[in-house]
Amino acid sequence: MATLKTISPASWAAGNHKEETFSFNPWARFMAFADSQKPNHTLWFFITLVGQGVLFLPIPAVLMYYYDAPIIVLAITMVCFFTTLIANMGGEGIRTTLTCLAASTLIHIAMILAVVL
């Protein structure tokens, strides 16, 4: 027989309410995002490989051919690519995968800006 409970604790009156404060900490927010992406680790592995191979590996050719960039541009790109590849193939966690992707993206943006501007 389905009956209604007449004596139930009020959920809004619970004593475990925490006051949330907003703090601007980009690193903590990035790590929270990385932790939330743990079930999608294989997807991020493939996104990292495709992103590195399609977007970042052609950058040295363009910069050296059109903007007369030094050869160090190629070395930086290859180090970023193989660091990401070895970290992912070695079975590192999602935090390392996303950190390598973010670091590589920032390094390549800085490198493009330094050569072009």
Side-chain angles (χ1 to χ4, degrees):
M1 184 165 144
T3 59
L4 296 173
K5 285 187 177 182
T6 57
I7 303 173
S8 63
S11 61
W12 54 268
N16 59 2
H17 177 69
K18 281 197 254 180
E19 183 98 17
E20 291 196 24
T21 58
F22 179 75
S23 65
F24 183 71
N25 188 350
W27 183 252
R29 292 181 71 189
F30 179 73
M31 286 297 125
F33 171 73
D35 291 338
S36 72
Q37 295 298 311
K38 178 83 172 143
N40 301 327
H41 187 248
T42 305
L43 175 67
W44 280 106
F45 171 64
F46 287 125
I47 288 173
T48 302
L49 284 180
V50 170
Q52 291 277 341
V54 172
L55 297 176
F56 297 149
L57 286 181
I59 288 175
V62 171
L63 292 180
M64 288 190 296
Y65 185 76
Y66 291 110
Y67 296 101
D68 295 326
I71 195 71
I72 192 72
V73 169
L74 178 63
I76 291 171
T77 301
M78 297 311 289
V79 166
C80 287
F81 175 73
F82 284 114
T83 301
T84 303
L85 182 69
I86 290 170
N88 285 323
M89 295 285 250
E92 289 294 326
I94 188 70
R95 285 184 168 193
T96 305
T97 299
L98 292 178
T99 304
C100 284
L101 178 63
S104 180
T105 303
L106 292 175
I107 289 169
H108 280 89
I109 289 171
M111 191 168 52
I112 291 170
L113 291 175
V115 170
V116 172
L117 299 179

